[in-house]
PDB file of all heavy atoms in Angstrom:
ATOM      1  N   ARG S   1       0.817  -1.221   0.000  1.00 87.00           N
ATOM      2  CA  ARG S   1       0.000   0.000   0.000  1.00 87.00           C
ATOM      3  C   ARG S   1       0.848   1.268   0.000  1.00 87.00           C
ATOM      4  O   ARG S   1       0.412   2.297  -0.478  1.00 87.00           O
ATOM      5  CB  ARG S   1      -0.930   0.005   1.202  1.00 87.00           C
ATOM      6  CG  ARG S   1      -2.035  -1.008   1.101  1.00 87.00           C
ATOM      7  CD  ARG S   1      -2.972  -0.873   2.284  1.00 87.00           C
ATOM      8  NE  ARG S   1      -3.940  -1.950   2.313  1.00 87.00           N
ATOM      9  CZ  ARG S   1      -4.332  -2.560   3.406  1.00 87.00           C
ATOM     10  NH1 ARG S   1      -3.834  -2.202   4.569  1.00 87.00           N
ATOM     11  NH2 ARG S   1      -5.221  -3.516   3.358  1.00 87.00           N
ATOM     12  N   GLU S   2       2.056   1.199   0.558  1.00 86.00           N
ATOM     13  CA  GLU S   2       2.914   2.383   0.588  1.00 86.00           C
ATOM     14  C   GLU S   2       3.365   2.776  -0.810  1.00 86.00           C
ATOM     15  O   GLU S   2       3.379   3.947  -1.152  1.00 86.00           O
ATOM     16  CB  GLU S   2       4.129   2.145   1.483  1.00 86.00           C
ATOM     17  CG  GLU S   2       3.794   2.092   2.946  1.00 86.00           C
ATOM     18  CD  GLU S   2       5.020   1.877   3.819  1.00 86.00           C
ATOM     19  OE1 GLU S   2       6.146   2.114   3.340  1.00 86.00           O
ATOM     20  OE2 GLU S   2       4.845   1.482   4.971  1.00 86.00           O
ATOM     21  N   THR S   3       3.749   1.786  -1.615  1.00 86.00           N
ATOM     22  CA  THR S   3       4.213   2.075  -2.968  1.00 86.00           C
ATOM     23  C   THR S   3       3.087   1.992  -3.986  1.00 86.00           C
ATOM     24  O   THR S   3       3.205   2.531  -5.078  1.00 86.00           O
ATOM     25  CB  THR S   3       5.323   1.105  -3.382  1.00 86.00           C
ATOM     26  OG1 THR S   3       4.815  -0.227  -3.359  1.00 86.00           O
ATOM     27  CG2 THR S   3       6.521   1.219  -2.479  1.00 86.00           C
ATOM     28  N   GLY S   4       2.018   1.276  -3.655  1.00 88.00           N
ATOM     29  CA  GLY S   4       0.907   1.095  -4.583  1.00 88.00           C
ATOM     30  C   GLY S   4       1.216   0.074  -5.657  1.00 88.00           C
ATOM     31  O   GLY S   4       0.561   0.032  -6.700  1.00 88.00           O
ATOM     32  N   LYS S   5       2.213  -0.770  -5.423  1.00 91.00           N
ATOM     33  CA  LYS S   5       2.634  -1.755  -6.418  1.00 91.00           C
ATOM     34  C   LYS S   5       2.473  -3.175  -5.884  1.00 91.00           C
ATOM     35  O   LYS S   5       2.366  -3.394  -4.696  1.00 91.00           O
ATOM     36  CB  LYS S   5       4.092  -1.514  -6.808  1.00 91.00           C
ATOM     37  CG  LYS S   5       4.277  -0.171  -7.489  1.00 91.00           C
ATOM     38  CD  LYS S   5       5.663  -0.011  -8.010  1.00 91.00           C
ATOM     39  CE  LYS S   5       5.755   1.298  -8.782  1.00 91.00           C
ATOM     40  NZ  LYS S   5       6.870   1.275  -9.701  1.00 91.00           N
ATOM     41  N   ILE S   6       2.478  -4.133  -6.809  1.00 91.00           N
ATOM     42  CA  ILE S   6       2.379  -5.549  -6.456  1.00 91.00           C
ATOM     43  C   ILE S   6       3.782  -6.144  -6.426  1.00 91.00           C
ATOM     44  O   ILE S   6       4.610  -5.850  -7.294  1.00 91.00           O
ATOM     45  CB  ILE S   6       1.513  -6.306  -7.475  1.00 91.00           C
ATOM     46  CG1 ILE S   6       0.070  -5.841  -7.361  1.00 91.00           C
ATOM     47  CG2 ILE S   6       1.611  -7.809  -7.265  1.00 91.00           C
ATOM     48  CD1 ILE S   6      -0.859  -6.480  -8.360  1.00 91.00           C
ATOM     49  N   GLU S   7       4.038  -6.997  -5.439  1.00 91.00           N
ATOM     50  CA  GLU S   7       5.329  -7.673  -5.307  1.00 91.00           C
ATOM     51  C   GLU S   7       5.131  -9.178  -5.408  1.00 91.00           C
ATOM     52  O   GLU S   7       4.184  -9.722  -4.832  1.00 91.00           O
ATOM     53  CB  GLU S   7       5.968  -7.349  -3.961  1.00 91.00           C
ATOM     54  CG  GLU S   7       6.255  -5.891  -3.749  1.00 91.00           C
ATOM     55  CD  GLU S   7       6.797  -5.578  -2.365  1.00 91.00           C
ATOM     56  OE1 GLU S   7       6.985  -6.521  -1.558  1.00 91.00           O
ATOM     57  OE2 GLU S   7       7.028  -4.385  -2.098  1.00 91.00           O
ATOM     58  N   LEU S   8       6.031  -9.827  -6.141  1.00 92.00           N
ATOM     59  CA  LEU S   8       6.039 -11.288  -6.241  1.00 92.00           C
ATOM     60  C   LEU S   8       7.342 -11.777  -5.630  1.00 92.00           C
ATOM     61  O   LEU S   8       8.425 -11.405  -6.076  1.00 92.00           O
ATOM     62  CB  LEU S   8       5.962 -11.743  -7.704  1.00 92.00           C
ATOM     63  CG  LEU S   8       4.787 -11.244  -8.531  1.00 92.00           C
ATOM     64  CD1 LEU S   8       4.912 -11.760  -9.961  1.00 92.00           C
ATOM     65  CD2 LEU S   8       3.478 -11.669  -7.926  1.00 92.00           C
ATOM     66  N   HIS S   9       7.239 -12.608  -4.609  1.00 89.00           N
ATOM     67  CA  HIS S   9       8.420 -13.140  -3.926  1.00 89.00           C
ATOM     68  C   HIS S   9       8.578 -14.618  -4.266  1.00 89.00           C
ATOM     69  O   HIS S   9       7.686 -15.414  -4.001  1.00 89.00           O
ATOM     70  CB  HIS S   9       8.276 -12.984  -2.405  1.00 89.00           C
ATOM     71  CG  HIS S   9       8.273 -11.570  -1.953  1.00 89.00           C
ATOM     72  ND1 HIS S   9       9.409 -10.918  -1.558  1.00 89.00           N
ATOM     73  CD2 HIS S   9       7.267 -10.655  -1.863  1.00 89.00           C
ATOM     74  CE1 HIS S   9       9.107  -9.673  -1.219  1.00 89.00           C
ATOM     75  NE2 HIS S   9       7.814  -9.495  -1.407  1.00 89.00           N
ATOM     76  N   PHE S  10       9.719 -14.960  -4.874  1.00 87.00           N
ATOM     77  CA  PHE S  10      10.066 -16.358  -5.095  1.00 87.00           C
ATOM     78  C   PHE S  10      11.562 -16.479  -5.326  1.00 87.00           C
ATOM     79  O   PHE S  10      12.248 -15.480  -5.552  1.00 87.00           O
ATOM     80  CB  PHE S  10       9.258 -16.980  -6.248  1.00 87.00           C
ATOM     81  CG  PHE S  10       9.338 -16.238  -7.557  1.00 87.00           C
ATOM     82  CD1 PHE S  10      10.314 -16.527  -8.484  1.00 87.00           C
ATOM     83  CD2 PHE S  10       8.398 -15.273  -7.858  1.00 87.00           C
ATOM     84  CE1 PHE S  10      10.363 -15.860  -9.694  1.00 87.00           C
ATOM     85  CE2 PHE S  10       8.434 -14.600  -9.056  1.00 87.00           C
ATOM     86  CZ  PHE S  10       9.428 -14.896  -9.981  1.00 87.00           C
ATOM     87  N   GLU S  11      12.069 -17.688  -5.234  1.00 87.00           N
ATOM     88  CA  GLU S  11      13.505 -17.951  -5.312  1.00 87.00           C
ATOM     89  C   GLU S  11      14.020 -17.855  -6.748  1.00 87.00           C
ATOM     90  O   GLU S  11      13.277 -18.036  -7.703  1.00 87.00           O
ATOM     91  CB  GLU S  11      13.814 -19.348  -4.772  1.00 87.00           C
ATOM     92  CG  GLU S  11      13.431 -19.555  -3.327  1.00 87.00           C
ATOM     93  CD  GLU S  11      14.237 -18.693  -2.378  1.00 87.00           C
ATOM     94  OE1 GLU S  11      15.449 -18.520  -2.597  1.00 87.00           O
ATOM     95  OE2 GLU S  11      13.636 -18.174  -1.422  1.00 87.00           O
ATOM     96  N   LYS S  12      15.321 -17.615  -6.871  1.00 88.00           N
ATOM     97  CA  LYS S  12      15.944 -17.537  -8.190  1.00 88.00           C
ATOM     98  C   LYS S  12      15.840 -18.861  -8.924  1.00 88.00           C
ATOM     99  O   LYS S  12      15.653 -18.896 -10.137  1.00 88.00           O
ATOM    100  CB  LYS S  12      17.414 -17.127  -8.044  1.00 88.00           C
ATOM    101  CG  LYS S  12      18.106 -16.910  -9.362  1.00 88.00           C
ATOM    102  CD  LYS S  12      19.509 -16.391  -9.174  1.00 88.00           C
ATOM    103  CE  LYS S  12      20.142 -16.120 -10.515  1.00 88.00           C
ATOM    104  NZ  LYS S  12      21.492 -15.569 -10.377  1.00 88.00           N
ATOM    105  N   SER S  13      15.922 -19.966  -8.183  1.00 89.00           N
ATOM    106  CA  SER S  13      15.819 -21.283  -8.820  1.00 89.00           C
ATOM    107  C   SER S  13      14.448 -21.473  -9.456  1.00 89.00           C
ATOM    108  O   SER S  13      14.338 -22.081 -10.524  1.00 89.00           O
ATOM    109  CB  SER S  13      16.095 -22.388  -7.799  1.00 89.00           C
ATOM    110  OG  SER S  13      15.154 -22.313  -6.738  1.00 89.00           O
ATOM    111  N   GLU S  14      13.392 -20.940  -8.813  1.00 88.00           N
ATOM    112  CA  GLU S  14      12.051 -21.019  -9.388  1.00 88.00           C
ATOM    113  C   GLU S  14      11.984 -20.226 -10.685  1.00 88.00           C
ATOM    114  O   GLU S  14      11.355 -20.653 -11.651  1.00 88.00           O
ATOM    115  CB  GLU S  14      11.002 -20.482  -8.412  1.00 88.00           C
ATOM    116  CG  GLU S  14      10.800 -21.330  -7.180  1.00 88.00           C
ATOM    117  CD  GLU S  14       9.777 -20.710  -6.247  1.00 88.00           C
ATOM    118  OE1 GLU S  14       8.591 -20.699  -6.607  1.00 88.00           O
ATOM    119  OE2 GLU S  14      10.188 -20.241  -5.175  1.00 88.00           O
ATOM    120  N   TYR S  15      12.651 -19.070 -10.715  1.00 89.00           N
ATOM    121  CA  TYR S  15      12.679 -18.261 -11.926  1.00 89.00           C
ATOM    122  C   TYR S  15      13.393 -19.000 -13.047  1.00 89.00           C
ATOM    123  O   TYR S  15      12.927 -19.018 -14.186  1.00 89.00           O
ATOM    124  CB  TYR S  15      13.366 -16.914 -11.662  1.00 89.00           C
ATOM    125  CG  TYR S  15      13.608 -16.125 -12.918  1.00 89.00           C
ATOM    126  CD1 TYR S  15      12.570 -15.430 -13.533  1.00 89.00           C
ATOM    127  CD2 TYR S  15      14.860 -16.079 -13.509  1.00 89.00           C
ATOM    128  CE1 TYR S  15      12.776 -14.718 -14.694  1.00 89.00           C
ATOM    129  CE2 TYR S  15      15.086 -15.368 -14.669  1.00 89.00           C
ATOM    130  CZ  TYR S  15      14.036 -14.690 -15.265  1.00 89.00           C
ATOM    131  OH  TYR S  15      14.252 -13.993 -16.421  1.00 89.00           O
ATOM    132  N   GLN S  16      14.510 -19.622 -12.723  1.00 90.00           N
ATOM    133  CA  GLN S  16      15.291 -20.323 -13.743  1.00 90.00           C
ATOM    134  C   GLN S  16      14.546 -21.529 -14.306  1.00 90.00           C
ATOM    135  O   GLN S  16      14.767 -21.913 -15.457  1.00 90.00           O
ATOM    136  CB  GLN S  16      16.636 -20.748 -13.173  1.00 90.00           C
ATOM    137  CG  GLN S  16      17.532 -19.555 -12.893  1.00 90.00           C
ATOM    138  CD  GLN S  16      18.799 -19.917 -12.152  1.00 90.00           C
ATOM    139  OE1 GLN S  16      18.844 -20.925 -11.442  1.00 90.00           O
ATOM    140  NE2 GLN S  16      19.822 -19.094 -12.288  1.00 90.00           N
ATOM    141  N   GLU S  17      13.649 -22.129 -13.524  1.00 90.00           N
ATOM    142  CA  GLU S  17      12.884 -23.280 -13.984  1.00 90.00           C
ATOM    143  C   GLU S  17      11.676 -22.894 -14.832  1.00 90.00           C
ATOM    144  O   GLU S  17      11.060 -23.752 -15.452  1.00 90.00           O
ATOM    145  CB  GLU S  17      12.410 -24.103 -12.782  1.00 90.00           C
ATOM    146  CG  GLU S  17      13.534 -24.777 -12.038  1.00 90.00           C
ATOM    147  CD  GLU S  17      13.088 -25.404 -10.728  1.00 90.00           C
ATOM    148  OE1 GLU S  17      11.880 -25.343 -10.406  1.00 90.00           O
ATOM    149  OE2 GLU S  17      13.949 -25.956 -10.034  1.00 90.00           O
ATOM    150  N   MET S  18      11.335 -21.594 -14.857  1.00 88.00           N
ATOM    151  CA  MET S  18      10.163 -21.144 -15.616  1.00 88.00           C
ATOM    152  C   MET S  18      10.377 -21.325 -17.114  1.00 88.00           C
ATOM    153  O   MET S  18      11.477 -21.114 -17.619  1.00 88.00           O
ATOM    154  CB  MET S  18       9.913 -19.647 -15.387  1.00 88.00           C
ATOM    155  CG  MET S  18       9.231 -19.286 -14.140  1.00 88.00           C
ATOM    156  SD  MET S  18       8.941 -17.492 -14.174  1.00 88.00           S
ATOM    157  CE  MET S  18       8.300 -17.285 -12.552  1.00 88.00           C
ATOM    158  N   PRO S  19       9.307 -21.671 -17.832  1.00 91.00           N
ATOM    159  CA  PRO S  19       9.396 -21.689 -19.296  1.00 91.00           C
ATOM    160  C   PRO S  19       9.587 -20.261 -19.830  1.00 91.00           C
ATOM    161  O   PRO S  19       9.255 -19.285 -19.151  1.00 91.00           O
ATOM    162  CB  PRO S  19       8.038 -22.242 -19.737  1.00 91.00           C
ATOM    163  CG  PRO S  19       7.350 -22.709 -18.516  1.00 91.00           C
ATOM    164  CD  PRO S  19       8.041 -22.138 -17.333  1.00 91.00           C
ATOM    165  N   GLU S  20      10.111 -20.146 -21.028  1.00 93.00           N
ATOM    166  CA  GLU S  20      10.385 -18.838 -21.613  1.00 93.00           C
ATOM    167  C   GLU S  20       9.131 -17.971 -21.723  1.00 93.00           C
ATOM    168  O   GLU S  20       9.197 -16.765 -21.549  1.00 93.00           O
ATOM    169  CB  GLU S  20      11.036 -18.995 -22.994  1.00 93.00           C
ATOM    170  CG  GLU S  20      12.465 -19.476 -22.945  1.00 93.00           C
ATOM    171  CD  GLU S  20      13.378 -18.548 -22.148  1.00 93.00           C
ATOM    172  OE1 GLU S  20      13.299 -17.314 -22.309  1.00 93.00           O
ATOM    173  OE2 GLU S  20      14.165 -19.066 -21.334  1.00 93.00           O
ATOM    174  N   GLU S  21       7.990 -18.559 -22.000  1.00 92.00           N
ATOM    175  CA  GLU S  21       6.743 -17.800 -22.129  1.00 92.00           C
ATOM    176  C   GLU S  21       6.388 -17.120 -20.800  1.00 92.00           C
ATOM    177  O   GLU S  21       5.994 -15.951 -20.778  1.00 92.00           O
ATOM    178  CB  GLU S  21       5.600 -18.709 -22.579  1.00 92.00           C
ATOM    179  CG  GLU S  21       4.265 -18.026 -22.719  1.00 92.00           C
ATOM    180  CD  GLU S  21       4.243 -16.938 -23.772  1.00 92.00           C
ATOM    181  OE1 GLU S  21       5.075 -16.945 -24.695  1.00 92.00           O
ATOM    182  OE2 GLU S  21       3.377 -16.045 -23.656  1.00 92.00           O
ATOM    183  N   GLN S  22       6.538 -17.839 -19.692  1.00 91.00           N
ATOM    184  CA  GLN S  22       6.253 -17.249 -18.386  1.00 91.00           C
ATOM    185  C   GLN S  22       7.264 -16.158 -18.041  1.00 91.00           C
ATOM    186  O   GLN S  22       6.906 -15.141 -17.444  1.00 91.00           O
ATOM    187  CB  GLN S  22       6.239 -18.315 -17.295  1.00 91.00           C
ATOM    188  CG  GLN S  22       4.993 -19.163 -17.312  1.00 91.00           C
ATOM    189  CD  GLN S  22       4.936 -20.109 -16.124  1.00 91.00           C
ATOM    190  OE1 GLN S  22       5.961 -20.415 -15.500  1.00 91.00           O
ATOM    191  NE2 GLN S  22       3.745 -20.565 -15.803  1.00 91.00           N
ATOM    192  N   LYS S  23       8.527 -16.352 -18.405  1.00 92.00           N
ATOM    193  CA  LYS S  23       9.535 -15.321 -18.162  1.00 92.00           C
ATOM    194  C   LYS S  23       9.196 -14.054 -18.940  1.00 92.00           C
ATOM    195  O   LYS S  23       9.351 -12.944 -18.446  1.00 92.00           O
ATOM    196  CB  LYS S  23      10.924 -15.812 -18.568  1.00 92.00           C
ATOM    197  CG  LYS S  23      11.521 -16.812 -17.620  1.00 92.00           C
ATOM    198  CD  LYS S  23      12.900 -17.218 -18.086  1.00 92.00           C
ATOM    199  CE  LYS S  23      13.491 -18.284 -17.194  1.00 92.00           C
ATOM    200  NZ  LYS S  23      14.820 -18.729 -17.648  1.00 92.00           N
ATOM    201  N   ARG S  24       8.693 -14.209 -20.168  1.00 93.00           N
ATOM    202  CA  ARG S  24       8.314 -13.067 -20.987  1.00 93.00           C
ATOM    203  C   ARG S  24       7.163 -12.302 -20.336  1.00 93.00           C
ATOM    204  O   ARG S  24       7.187 -11.078 -20.257  1.00 93.00           O
ATOM    205  CB  ARG S  24       7.919 -13.526 -22.393  1.00 93.00           C
ATOM    206  CG  ARG S  24       7.663 -12.395 -23.359  1.00 93.00           C
ATOM    207  CD  ARG S  24       7.125 -12.882 -24.685  1.00 93.00           C
ATOM    208  NE  ARG S  24       5.831 -13.549 -24.559  1.00 93.00           N
ATOM    209  CZ  ARG S  24       4.669 -12.916 -24.328  1.00 93.00           C
ATOM    210  NH1 ARG S  24       4.642 -11.624 -24.201  1.00 93.00           N
ATOM    211  NH2 ARG S  24       3.538 -13.597 -24.245  1.00 93.00           N
ATOM    212  N   ILE S  25       6.160 -13.040 -19.832  1.00 91.00           N
ATOM    213  CA  ILE S  25       5.026 -12.411 -19.154  1.00 91.00           C
ATOM    214  C   ILE S  25       5.507 -11.671 -17.907  1.00 91.00           C
ATOM    215  O   ILE S  25       5.099 -10.532 -17.648  1.00 91.00           O
ATOM    216  CB  ILE S  25       3.962 -13.461 -18.785  1.00 91.00           C
ATOM    217  CG1 ILE S  25       3.304 -14.017 -20.047  1.00 91.00           C
ATOM    218  CG2 ILE S  25       2.925 -12.891 -17.843  1.00 91.00           C
ATOM    219  CD1 ILE S  25       2.438 -15.239 -19.801  1.00 91.00           C
ATOM    220  N   LEU S  26       6.380 -12.301 -17.131  1.00 91.00           N
ATOM    221  CA  LEU S  26       6.905 -11.691 -15.912  1.00 91.00           C
ATOM    222  C   LEU S  26       7.662 -10.406 -16.225  1.00 91.00           C
ATOM    223  O   LEU S  26       7.409  -9.363 -15.622  1.00 91.00           O
ATOM    224  CB  LEU S  26       7.816 -12.683 -15.182  1.00 91.00           C
ATOM    225  CG  LEU S  26       8.462 -12.199 -13.893  1.00 91.00           C
ATOM    226  CD1 LEU S  26       7.413 -11.998 -12.818  1.00 91.00           C
ATOM    227  CD2 LEU S  26       9.511 -13.187 -13.428  1.00 91.00           C
ATOM    228  N   LYS S  27       8.569 -10.456 -17.192  1.00 91.00           N
ATOM    229  CA  LYS S  27       9.396  -9.293 -17.506  1.00 91.00           C
ATOM    230  C   LYS S  27       8.599  -8.158 -18.143  1.00 91.00           C
ATOM    231  O   LYS S  27       8.994  -7.000 -18.041  1.00 91.00           O
ATOM    232  CB  LYS S  27      10.535  -9.701 -18.434  1.00 91.00           C
ATOM    233  CG  LYS S  27      11.578 -10.540 -17.752  1.00 91.00           C
ATOM    234  CD  LYS S  27      12.661 -10.940 -18.735  1.00 91.00           C
ATOM    235  CE  LYS S  27      13.688 -11.839 -18.104  1.00 91.00           C
ATOM    236  NZ  LYS S  27      14.711 -12.254 -19.074  1.00 91.00           N
ATOM    237  N   SER S  28       7.487  -8.472 -18.798  1.00 92.00           N
ATOM    238  CA  SER S  28       6.701  -7.402 -19.409  1.00 92.00           C
ATOM    239  C   SER S  28       5.877  -6.637 -18.380  1.00 92.00           C
ATOM    240  O   SER S  28       5.475  -5.504 -18.641  1.00 92.00           O
ATOM    241  CB  SER S  28       5.795  -7.955 -20.511  1.00 92.00           C
ATOM    242  OG  SER S  28       4.772  -8.753 -19.954  1.00 92.00           O
ATOM    243  N   ASN S  29       5.610  -7.220 -17.223  1.00 92.00           N
ATOM    244  CA  ASN S  29       4.785  -6.570 -16.205  1.00 92.00           C
ATOM    245  C   ASN S  29       5.521  -6.236 -14.916  1.00 92.00           C
ATOM    246  O   ASN S  29       4.992  -5.482 -14.092  1.00 92.00           O
ATOM    247  CB  ASN S  29       3.586  -7.464 -15.860  1.00 92.00           C
ATOM    248  CG  ASN S  29       2.626  -7.561 -17.007  1.00 92.00           C
ATOM    249  OD1 ASN S  29       1.906  -6.621 -17.290  1.00 92.00           O
ATOM    250  ND2 ASN S  29       2.631  -8.689 -17.704  1.00 92.00           N
ATOM    251  N   TYR S  30       6.710  -6.788 -14.700  1.00 94.00           N
ATOM    252  CA  TYR S  30       7.426  -6.622 -13.434  1.00 94.00           C
ATOM    253  C   TYR S  30       8.903  -6.327 -13.678  1.00 94.00           C
ATOM    254  O   TYR S  30       9.466  -6.718 -14.691  1.00 94.00           O
ATOM    255  CB  TYR S  30       7.321  -7.897 -12.586  1.00 94.00           C
ATOM    256  CG  TYR S  30       5.919  -8.174 -12.111  1.00 94.00           C
ATOM    257  CD1 TYR S  30       5.025  -8.891 -12.899  1.00 94.00           C
ATOM    258  CD2 TYR S  30       5.479  -7.713 -10.880  1.00 94.00           C
ATOM    259  CE1 TYR S  30       3.731  -9.128 -12.472  1.00 94.00           C
ATOM    260  CE2 TYR S  30       4.188  -7.945 -10.444  1.00 94.00           C
ATOM    261  CZ  TYR S  30       3.328  -8.649 -11.239  1.00 94.00           C
ATOM    262  OH  TYR S  30       2.040  -8.878 -10.807  1.00 94.00           O
TER     263      TYR S  30
END
C-alpha cells in the first residue's frame, strides 16, 4: 500500500525453472 505496487516473492531457482513464455510475461509486467 505504501508504494501502490504488487510484489512477487520467489527464489531464483524457481525463476530459472520457468518456461520462456512465463519469463516473458513476468518481464513485461514486473
Side-chain angles (χ1 to χ4, degrees):
R1 289 184 188 140
E2 289 181 19
T3 61
K5 296 187 175 201
I6 292 178
E7 299 176 2
L8 304 178
H9 294 267
F10 54 90
E11 299 295 321
K12 185 175 183 178
S13 60
E14 292 178 70
Y15 171 78
Q16 291 172 335
E17 292 171 2
M18 280 184 186
E20 288 301 316
E21 179 63 23
Q22 285 186 339
K23 286 181 183 178
R24 187 187 62 74
I25 292 169
L26 179 68
K27 289 179 183 178
S28 69
N29 292 286
Y30 293 87

